[in-house]
Amino acid sequence: MGLTNQEISIYFCGGLLDVHSFVKTSASRSAESAQSRVNSRAEMEIGRYHWMYPGSKNHQYRPVPTLGDRASPLSSPGCFECCIKCLGGVPYASLVATILCFSGVALFCGCGHVALAGTVAILEQHFSTNTSDHALLSEVIQLMQYVIYGIASFFFLYGIILLAEGFYTTSAVKELHGEFKTTACGRCISGMFVFLTYVLGVAWLGVFGFSAVPVFMFYNIWSTCEVIKSPQTNGTAAVEQICVDIRQYGIIPWNAFPGKICGSALENICNTSEFYMSYHLFIVACAGAGATVIALIHFLMILSSNWAYLKDASKMQAYQDIKAKEEQELQDIQSRSKEQLNSYT
């Protein structure tokens, strides 16, 4: 059966319309499926991030306003709101650890320096009258005093650096200063701080144990003096038989003279201001070393959490880049679909 030219044109136009509707339907379905994949993946990653950091649910990144969008001075927040915003950016954990570290190092260095000088004076006046017998000890104590100067300077700078690192890794500061992006160099520096703080913490454990040695020595001398002052032995002949031999601690050689002090002479040493001051300063220095150990442990926990936060932030940054690429590809697919539709029509 033959068809006229009019019927052929009608069938041909109908076929074009069917192809047009099919291409349009397939393009819309592919766009919807790609958009659903992007949205579902975004929701999963954001939900995981909120689960790991519950406080970030209310976190919003505010874009920097342009010149035309800026509010007038009359509508700007007051001084109270600005103060609250500034206080929200303070890393309080790092601040407490820094104050504790500064206090501990200051107590250890200051009290230890004065106590070492008082110890040398006691040895020269009572236990070792010959200068050559305690010459090595005097040089070691002088070297330790110089080391104390270096420790104080180093930890002053190190505490400030760790406090600055806490400022730049806290989530509150990231909210104040806009969009936050981490780099491999920043994560490497944070990891280096974790390792260095761990090493310093182990070293200060040794310093804390070493600072307990003079406390033990002075405590033995003080307890011996208390026995001499007790009513059971005071005023009797047994007092002169109670002695303290400083040579047994190994700080002066065995040929040092006199090296051993007994009875009333030992009681006079305990009554001097040098002994009283040095004993209590060594106790405070030991407590300062313990406070420094606690501060370094606190810093280690803070740095570890900051490093974990930076690592997770880098993953979120990589995900956002991938999401932006997928959205761009989706837009390209939609634009190509529109071009194909225009070419068919």
Side-chain angles (χ1 to χ4, degrees):
M1 182 178 181
L3 297 175
T4 63
N5 294 330
Q6 184 177 2
E7 291 176 348
I8 291 173
S9 62
I10 291 172
Y11 288 142
F12 181 73
C13 291
L16 287 179
L17 290 175
D18 292 337
V19 171
H20 175 75
S21 60
F22 175 75
V23 172
K24 185 175 181 181
T25 304
S26 61
S28 61
R29 287 180 179 176
S30 62
E32 290 175 357
S33 62
Q35 185 67 31
S36 63
R37 289 198 303 269
V38 173
N39 293 334
S40 62
R41 185 174 179 182
E43 290 175 358
M44 290 175 62
E45 291 293 333
I46 293 172
R48 172 179 170 271
Y49 184 76
H50 286 169
W51 177 75
M52 294 180 65
Y53 301 96
S56 63
K57 291 183 178 180
N58 298 325
H59 181 77
Q60 296 179 354
Y61 291 98
R62 301 180 178 88
V64 179
T66 59
L67 184 61
D69 297 335
R70 290 179 182 174
S72 62
L74 296 176
S75 62
S76 60
C79 181
F80 179 76
E81 288 80 4
C82 293
C83 292
I84 295 299
K85 189 176 182 181
C86 292
L87 291 176
V90 177
Y92 293 101
S94 298
L95 184 62
V96 171
T98 303
I99 295 174
L100 185 60
C101 182
F102 284 171
S103 302
V105 172
L107 289 176
F108 174 79
C109 294
C111 297
H113 185 276
V114 179
L116 288 173
T119 302
V120 172
I122 293 172
L123 289 175
E124 291 178 349
Q125 295 175 6
H126 303 284
F127 291 97
S128 181
T129 56
N130 190 2
T131 307
S132 61
D133 293 337
H134 59 271
L136 180 60
L137 178 63
S138 300
E139 293 178 359
V140 171
I141 290 178
Q142 187 177 6
L143 179 62
M144 292 176 63
Q145 289 176 340
Y146 286 119
V147 170
I148 284 175
Y149 297 147
I151 290 174
S153 303
F154 172 77
F155 271 90
F156 178 74
L157 295 176
Y158 190 68
I160 293 177
I161 292 173
L162 292 182
L163 182 61
E165 200 271 343
F167 267 104
Y168 285 104
T169 52
T170 182
S171 59
V173 172
K174 285 181 282 187
E175 182 180 357
L176 291 176
H177 295 281
E179 185 179 359
F180 173 76
K181 289 186 178 181
T182 179
T183 60
C185 181
R187 296 191 298 273
C188 181
I189 292 175
S190 297
M192 182 191 67
F193 280 142
V194 172
F195 175 76
L196 184 58
T197 305
Y198 177 80
V199 173
L200 290 175
V202 174
W204 269 96
L205 281 175
V207 172
F208 176 67
F210 179 77
S211 62
V213 174
V215 176
F216 174 74
M217 294 169 53
F218 274 85
Y219 174 76
N220 287 338
I221 298 174
W222 175 80
S223 60
T224 305
C225 292
E226 291 297 319
V227 173
I228 295 174
K229 295 177 183 179
S230 63
Q232 290 81 6
T233 58
N234 191 11
T236 62
V239 172
E240 299 301 327
Q241 297 178 359
I242 300 176
C243 304
V244 170
D245 193 351
I246 203 69
R247 296 172 296 183
Q248 65 181 348
Y249 297 107
I251 59 176
I252 58 175
W254 282 101
N255 57 358
F257 181 80
K260 182 174 69 172
I261 304 296
C262 302
S264 59
L266 180 61
E267 184 179 0
N268 293 332
I269 293 174
C270 294
N271 292 331
T272 58
S273 60
E274 290 86 0
F275 177 84
Y276 181 83
M277 184 65 66
S278 299
Y279 178 38
H280 290 85
L281 287 178
F282 273 125
I283 295 175
V284 177
C286 184
T292 306
V293 172
I294 296 174
L296 290 175
I297 294 174
H298 197 178
F299 267 130
L300 186 61
M301 293 187 294
I302 295 169
L303 291 171
S304 300
S305 63
N306 288 342
W307 183 81
Y309 181 83
L310 289 175
K311 184 178 179 181
D312 190 78
S314 65
K315 292 181 179 179
M316 289 296 298
Q317 180 181 350
Y319 164 71
Q320 290 176 359
D321 295 338
I322 294 173
K323 181 182 177 183
K325 291 180 181 178
E326 290 181 352
E327 290 178 352
Q328 184 64 34
E329 292 177 356
L330 179 61
Q331 291 178 0
D332 295 339
I333 292 173
Q334 291 177 351
S335 62
R336 286 196 298 268
S337 300
K338 290 180 180 179
E339 291 177 357
Q340 291 176 359
L341 290 175
N342 294 328
S343 63
Y344 279 122
T345 56

